Amino acid sequence: MEARRQRRRWEYCWIALCFSLLLSFGTQVCAQIRYTIPEELKEGSVVGHVAKDLGLDVSTLVNRKIRIVSGAKDALFQVNQNNGVLYVYGKIDREELCDGNGACSINLKMAVEEPLEIHYVGVEITDVNDNPPTFSEDEQHFEIAEHTPTGTRFQIQAARDADTKANNVRSYKLSQNEHFEVDTKDRHEEKIPFLVLKKSLDRENTPEHRLILTAIDGGNPPRSGTLNIIITVLDINDNRPVFSEDTYSVTVRENAAQGTVLIRLNATDLDKGSNGAVEYAFGRNINRKLQSLFKLDSITGEIQIKGELDYEETEVFKLDVQASDKGQPPLAAESVVIIKIIDINDNAPEIDLTSLSNVVSEDSKPGTVISLVSISDKDSGINGKIITTITYNVPFELKPSFQENVYSLVTKGRLDRELQSHYDITITVTDLGQPPLSAFKSLSVQVSDVNDNNPEFSQDPIELYIVENNAPGASIFSVIASDKDLNENAMITYNIIRGEGAQNDMSSFLNINSETGVIYALNRFDFEVTRKFKFQVLAKDSGTPSLSSNVTVHVFILDQNDNAPVILYPVSANGSAEGVEEISRNVNAGHLVTKVRAYDADIGYNGWLLFSLQEVSDHSLFSLDRYTGQIRTLRSFTETDEAQHKLVILVKDNGNVSLSATATVIVKVVEPKEAFAASDVTNSVKDEEENNVTFYLIITLGSVSVLFIISIIVLIVMQCSKSTDYSSKYLQDTNYDGTLCHSIQYRSGDKRYMLVGPRMSIGSTLAPGSNRNTLVIPDRRRRDSVEVRIS
């Protein structure tokens, strides 16, 4: 019973399995669809709408999850779960999938869930012409003798094509040539190509043929593959060597180094092997000198420099050469090699200097020939062309002559020995080669002197200041002139130009040393007699003809304190400086008793007079003005005062060593009546004396006025004729206080000096070192001034 149940259970299972298989088989057969696509479609290309073609509801696909459940090849396709579109997912290569000819299809198993459904989709891959014909090798070699008869056939490897029969190799094509053609033969549905010789070969003309065989398939458009065919033509010995040129020509610089390759000979023999092997050699008639200069390599045909080349010695060489093969008997050919030497700038110019004289006079005219210059250069062409120059900024130049490269060195301008007495001239010669070469030649030219310069004084005019009372015969000054010339042309002698006997000509009192220019005074000068004068000194050189120049010397006599004061009042009848004055006893203090008048012939401080009481009987009664000489009473007289007083007045100048004089005044004190009577007599006498003094004063003032006018005229003339820096003037002044004093002004350089009398101008200052008798007056805009002082 139990066994029967078990067997029945297995039967039910078997029936269920068979039913399931039947359902599955029925579903596959009923639901299968097929698509056809070409190979090589792009990824993403649509194959078909699977869901639509299977009758599935597209709106439920997202939940039912349609997918491909087949093998690895199925990775070439994917289905979109949203719309059920089957599309290409990977590259499809029919030749790789199906390996050659025949149908090529892929079966896809697709599953849909809820409820589970299995569908089968077939995709057929059609062939496209995506593979060209190919050869197993890139090239194929053949060796064919040049005497092979025409029509001979040579088999060529066949091409293969991975595409189907319709796209397989259909024909062969050979590149254009005149010796070969291609023929084909069918064998087992395959076309076999053959190379056919249609024209005899000649190795000497074409030792090798390179052809291209092209295989073309039947696709649309057709594709092709190529095979390189190399045909080597075998040789026979039937040709002699031949030079590439009948005559070879080569140029080389003369400084080319030994071992330099000049040229490589090229001789060819159409034969091969030993019959085509070429050897080179010099011709039999070549001389030994050429063999010592050049070397020929027998194997390579290179001609090299063996010795030293010199363009200046030989410009062109001709070499006979020959080429022979190693056949039996050997065959030979001949040629000529012409070697031209190029000159280089390897020779510097040479200078030949012929000096006529190395001394030229400074008065030589422009164009005077100093030297002849000859120049040579062994190089040729531009290397032998030269440029000449001489030292810059010299009064000389090179002038070419009618003969090439011959020049004359001549003076270009006026010479001046005093500016430059010697010239070092360098002549430079440079050729035009690259790099240029130069040569130098130097010569020294001395410029000889001529007497073309006058003697010159360093200052003109000359101002000379001499203190009076000089020692006769002593030198007072020296003049010096210079001459830019040399030797005797510069030897100077001096002379004083004498006047024509004029009354005021002081040159007769002077003498000069003709060689040294030292001037001597023959007498003593007196300022009070002559205050200034001028003379001229002539300087003359010893040249031929001699040249000269002169200078004016202005001499100003400076005052010394050599005159003592002279008492003008009082003066007694016997000429002594003594007088008597009577005054009334009832005069008040400050009464003018009298005035002592004095005169000093000196000027400035030397003539500045000061008055002092040397002796007085009563100091409390009388006073003396220090500057005017006025005697006044200090108080009124009393009964006890004496009736007669003696006053001794000392008049002293202000010289460095002062000189003086004394005057005596006797003052008599009288009663008023007596004084009135006496005053009448005294006044008459005094009036007469006053009249005399007034007369003298008028004469003196008139003289001073005349001198003033003359001085003004002289100053104007001097101001117009010479620089204000060296002008000098003086002017006398008068003093109306009873004392005549003098002042003189003069200028030296930037300072103006004035020797003054007893009263000085405001703003004046004492000049240092002037012994207190000279004032320095500030110079305003350096203008000369004339000052008249009346004091």
Side-chain angles (χ1 to χ4, degrees):
M1 236 0 233
E2 189 65 30
R4 184 178 295 175
R5 290 179 182 175
Q6 187 70 26
R7 184 172 58 184
R8 185 175 294 174
R9 189 181 298 158
W10 281 108
E11 286 177 356
Y12 289 152
C13 292
W14 176 252
I15 292 171
L17 178 62
C18 289
F19 182 75
S20 299
L21 291 175
L22 181 61
L23 284 177
S24 300
F25 180 75
T27 303
Q28 180 179 1
V29 172
C30 295
Q32 183 176 6
I33 59 175
R34 182 177 296 275
Y35 298 102
T36 301
I37 61 169
E39 63 176 331
E40 302 293 341
L41 278 180
K42 293 183 178 180
E43 295 182 10
S45 300
V46 176
V47 177
H49 294 272
V50 175
K52 182 178 180 182
D53 293 338
L54 292 176
L56 300 176
D57 187 1
V58 177
S59 62
T60 61
L61 289 180
V62 176
N63 296 325
R64 299 188 67 183
K65 298 181 181 178
I66 186 172
R67 63 183 184 278
I68 298 174
V69 294
S70 303
K73 290 184 179 180
D74 303 336
L76 297 175
F77 301 95
Q78 286 290 342
V79 63
N80 191 319
Q81 294 184 359
N82 295 324
N83 55 19
V85 174
L86 182 66
Y87 61 90
V88 177
Y89 184 70
K91 181 180 179 182
I92 302 175
D93 189 353
R94 181 183 181 280
E95 289 74 29
E96 182 179 350
L97 291 175
C98 301
D99 191 18
N101 298 327
C104 182
S105 63
I106 300 175
N107 295 320
L108 303 177
K109 185 179 180 180
M110 307 184 69
V112 182
E113 298 179 1
E114 297 181 1
L116 177 63
E117 295 181 9
I118 301 299
H119 300 280
Y120 293 91
V121 178
V123 180
E124 182 179 357
I125 309 299
T126 61
D127 183 42
V128 296
N129 192 23
D130 59 341
N131 291 284
T134 58
F135 293 90
S136 60
E137 297 180 357
D138 293 336
E139 62 184 19
Q140 187 172 352
H141 293 263
F142 294 95
E143 289 186 354
I144 305 173
E146 59 181 333
H147 58 278
T148 301
T150 59
T152 304
R153 297 164 64 90
F154 305 91
Q155 184 177 346
I156 308 173
Q157 61 173 303
R160 299 287 185 268
D161 195 322
D163 294 325
T164 59
K165 182 178 180 181
N167 294 326
N168 213 325
V169 178
R170 291 292 183 88
S171 63
Y172 291 92
K173 182 180 177 181
L174 190 64
S175 59
Q176 184 66 33
N177 71 97
E178 62 178 351
H179 293 280
F180 298 93
E181 62 183 2
V182 66
D183 190 16
T184 60
K185 182 179 180 181
D186 294 333
R187 185 171 61 190
H188 303 294
E189 296 182 358
E190 183 181 13
K191 291 186 178 296
I192 305 299
F194 289 88
L195 188 66
V196 181
L197 178 64
K198 67 179 182 178
K199 184 180 178 180
S200 299
L201 300 176
D202 186 355
R203 195 205 63 82
E204 286 72 32
N205 290 332
T206 308
E208 184 179 79
H209 297 268
R210 290 184 175 268
L211 306 175
I212 298 176
L213 180 66
T214 303
I216 304 171
D217 62 18
N220 186 18
R223 305 189 68 152
S224 62
T226 58
L227 172 68
N228 294 320
I229 300 175
I230 301 173
I231 302 168
T232 303
V233 182
L234 301 179
D235 178 53
I236 61 174
N237 186 19
D238 57 350
N239 294 281
R240 69 174 57 240
V242 177
F243 279 102
S244 59
E245 296 182 19
D246 294 335
T247 301
Y248 293 91
S249 180
V250 64
T251 57
V252 62
R253 297 167 64 89
E254 64 176 320
N255 65 337
Q258 296 183 13
T260 301
V261 176
L262 298 177
I263 193 173
R264 183 189 294 268
L265 301 178
N266 184 20
T268 58
D269 193 322
L270 299 179
D271 298 326
K272 294 191 67 176
S274 60
N275 293 329
V278 179
E279 290 183 336
Y280 301 93
F282 284 123
R284 296 180 180 178
N285 296 326
I286 190 170
N287 57 40
R288 294 183 178 179
K289 180 179 180 181
L290 295 179
Q291 291 180 354
S292 65
L293 294 177
F294 304 99
K295 180 177 67 173
L296 174 59
D297 191 299
S298 62
I299 304 301
T300 63
E302 291 182 347
I303 298 178
Q304 300 179 357
I305 297 176
K306 185 179 178 181
E308 294 183 359
L309 305 179
D310 189 356
Y311 172 86
E312 287 71 33
E313 183 177 347
T314 306
E315 298 180 15
V316 179
F317 295 95
K318 292 183 180 180
L319 304 178
D320 294 328
V321 294
Q322 67 177 14
S324 59
D325 60 24
K326 296 182 179 180
Q328 293 298 328
L331 300 177
E334 295 181 351
S335 184
V336 176
V337 179
I338 298 176
I339 302 174
K340 296 180 180 180
I341 308 302
I342 299 176
D343 182 41
I344 64 169
N345 194 27
D346 59 344
N347 292 281
E350 296 180 357
I351 303 175
D352 184 18
L353 196 64
T354 303
S355 297
L356 302 180
S357 175
N358 62 346
V359 178
V360 59
S361 177
E362 64 175 322
D363 61 349
S364 298
K365 295 180 178 180
T368 302
V369 179
I370 306 300
S371 179
L372 298 178
V373 182
S374 298
I375 303 170
S376 61
D377 194 321
K378 293 180 181 180
D379 294 321
S380 62
I382 195 69
N383 295 327
K385 299 296 181 181
I386 58 173
I387 297 175
T388 58
T389 57
I390 66 171
T391 304
Y392 175 73
N393 200 22
V394 295
F396 301 92
E397 63 179 346
L398 287 173
K399 280 194 173 182
S401 65
F402 65 91
Q403 187 177 354
E404 186 179 8
N405 292 340
V406 176
Y407 299 84
S408 298
L409 179 64
V410 300
T411 56
K412 183 172 63 174
R414 294 287 181 179
L415 304 178
D416 190 348
R417 188 208 61 80
E418 287 71 36
L419 293 179
Q420 189 165 352
S421 62
H422 173 267
Y423 292 94
D424 289 321
I425 303 174
T426 300
I427 300 174
T428 304
V429 179
T430 305
D431 59 29
L432 300 180
Q434 291 298 330
L437 299 178
S438 301
F440 307 91
K441 202 77 171 184
S442 298
L443 71 156
S444 179
V445 177
Q446 299 288 338
V447 181
S448 61
D449 183 50
V450 296
N451 191 27
D452 57 347
N453 289 278
N454 294 64
E456 295 181 356
F457 290 93
S458 60
Q459 183 181 352
D460 187 13
I462 300 174
E463 292 183 352
L464 176 61
Y465 297 89
I466 303 175
V467 179
E468 66 175 333
N469 300 320
N470 56 296
S475 64
I476 59 174
F477 188 61
S478 64
V479 293
I480 298 177
S482 61
D483 196 316
K484 296 179 181 179
D485 296 320
L486 288 177
N487 301 328
E488 65 275 0
N489 295 331
M491 295 178 61
I492 300 175
T493 57
Y494 303 91
N495 291 289
I496 295 177
I497 300 177
R498 306 294 180 181
E500 298 180 356
Q503 186 175 4
N504 59 350
D505 184 16
M506 298 293 293
S507 61
S508 59
F509 298 101
L510 302 173
N511 197 5
I512 189 171
N513 188 316
S514 61
E515 294 182 358
T516 62
V518 177
I519 299 175
Y520 302 90
L522 301 179
N523 66 341
R524 189 186 308 274
F525 295 111
D526 188 355
F527 175 82
E528 287 71 33
V529 177
T530 302
R531 298 190 177 184
K532 71 172 184 176
F533 64 92
K534 66 179 178 179
F535 63 95
Q536 287 186 323
V537 176
L538 176 70
K540 183 178 181 181
D541 62 27
S542 301
T544 304
S546 61
L547 301 176
S548 62
S549 61
N550 54 45
V551 65
T552 300
V553 182
H554 293 275
V555 181
F556 297 92
I557 308 301
L558 301 180
D559 182 43
Q560 275 190 336
N561 192 24
D562 58 346
N563 292 280
V566 177
I567 304 299
L568 297 179
Y569 181 84
V571 179
S572 64
N574 60 3
S576 63
E578 184 176 347
V580 178
E581 297 289 338
E582 291 183 358
I583 61 174
S584 176
R585 184 178 290 274
N586 61 354
V587 296
N588 296 323
H591 176 74
L592 177 63
V593 178
T594 188
K595 180 177 180 179
V596 180
R597 294 180 174 86
Y599 169 77
D600 195 319
D602 297 320
I603 68 168
Y605 285 99
N606 295 329
W608 184 4
L609 301 181
L610 297 177
F611 300 86
S612 62
L613 287 173
Q614 187 176 21
E615 182 181 344
V616 61
S617 57
D618 190 348
H619 288 282
S620 65
L621 189 57
F622 299 100
S623 67
L624 176 66
D625 190 287
R626 177 180 177 85
Y627 300 106
T628 63
Q630 292 179 351
I631 301 175
R632 296 181 182 273
T633 58
L634 293 175
R635 59 179 175 83
S636 299
F637 289 98
T638 62
E639 294 296 333
T640 59
D641 290 332
E642 295 181 359
Q644 180 171 324
H645 299 273
K646 180 179 180 181
L647 284 75
V648 179
I649 293 91
L650 176 67
V651 182
K652 183 172 65 173
D653 60 26
N654 204 36
N656 196 16
V657 178
S658 63
L659 302 177
S660 63
T662 59
T664 303
V665 177
I666 297 175
V667 180
K668 293 182 178 181
V669 181
V670 298
E671 297 299 327
K673 294 181 178 180
E674 296 177 2
F676 178 78
S679 63
D680 292 337
V681 178
T682 305
N683 287 337
S684 63
V685 176
K686 188 177 293 184
D687 290 340
E688 182 178 358
E689 293 176 353
E690 289 288 345
N691 290 335
N692 292 334
V693 172
T694 302
F695 176 75
Y696 295 142
L697 289 174
I698 289 173
I699 294 176
T700 303
L701 289 174
S703 302
V704 170
S705 299
V706 171
L707 287 175
F708 172 75
I709 295 172
I710 295 173
S711 300
I712 292 297
I713 296 172
V714 171
L715 287 173
I716 293 173
V717 172
M718 294 178 66
Q719 181 69 22
C720 297
S721 62
K722 70 176 184 176
S723 171
T724 59
D725 291 341
Y726 300 100
S727 63
S728 62
K729 309 171 182 62
Y730 68 64
L731 178 66
Q732 293 193 44
D733 292 342
T734 57
N735 189 307
Y736 286 96
D737 291 333
T739 301
L740 295 180
C741 62
H742 306 270
S743 66
I744 180 170
Q745 303 179 39
Y746 62 92
R747 181 184 297 278
S748 177
D750 293 334
K751 295 183 177 180
R752 185 161 60 93
Y753 300 90
M754 182 174 72
L755 303 177
V756 299
R759 293 188 180 178
M760 296 178 290
S761 300
I762 298 175
S764 303
T765 56
L766 286 174
S770 60
N771 295 327
R772 298 191 304 167
N773 63 352
T774 302
L775 290 177
V776 179
I777 299 178
D779 188 9
R780 298 178 179 176
R781 298 188 179 178
R782 303 177 68 179
R783 294 180 299 175
D784 297 326
S785 63
V786 179
E787 179 181 335
V788 178
R789 170 175 289 279
I790 300 176
S791 28

